[in-house]
Amino acid sequence: MPGITTVNAGNAINANKRLVEGFIDALNERRIDDFPDYLAADVIDHNKIIHGEEDRPGAAFDGFRQQLAAFGEFTAVAEQLIAEGGTVVARLTVSGRHTGAHPRMPRPTHRTCSVEQIWIFTLREGRIAEIRAVSDRLGMFLQLGWDWPA
């Protein structure tokens, strides 16, 4: 029956959106210990959070930890969530203040940035298994006073 499939698919899509919203909340609230509730142990982040981050499954956990340590103030606001099947796309406004060490810029600038980002989450077995992202890196570097990599 097509109606039953549509209802079930709709429920799964809503559950996927809630999972991504929960992960974004955990980021914002710095609940690092809750990350395994949202991210698969072998999550692959195709968009390096930190330049030089290890390219191995699960490295995203440490990348997010480093990013939060570098930004004393950090907020990701989901402006829009779009879901289809096991994919959720989030259009975010990400803001922060660089107050801690960061591999790209070890000395804090104490400057703020606010940039738009698009994150694509692939979910499997109730967890985020892959992350791809596009962000305004140039805007972030300019706002923070970081040198563009050579």
Side-chain angles (χ1 to χ4, degrees), residues 5-51:
T5 303
T6 303
V7 169
N8 289 339
N11 289 339
I13 286 171
N14 288 333
N16 290 346
K17 283 183 174 181
R18 283 192 304 276
L19 181 78
V20 167
E21 288 172 330
F23 175 64
I24 293 168
D25 288 343
L27 273 175
N28 286 330
E29 296 166 11
R30 298 174 178 271
R31 291 185 283 117
I32 294 168
D33 291 341
D34 290 351
F35 285 3
D37 294 341
Y38 305 100
L39 300 174
D42 60 349
V43 62
I44 297 190
D45 179 11
H46 297 282
N47 178 61
K48 299 301 181 200
I49 298 167
I50 304 287
H51 178 73

Side-chain angles (χ1 to χ4, degrees), residues 87-90 118-122 130-133:
T87 302
V88 177
V89 178
I118 308 267
W119 292 14
I120 303 169
F121 299 95
T122 302
E130 293 182 70
I131 304 168
R132 296 184 186 276

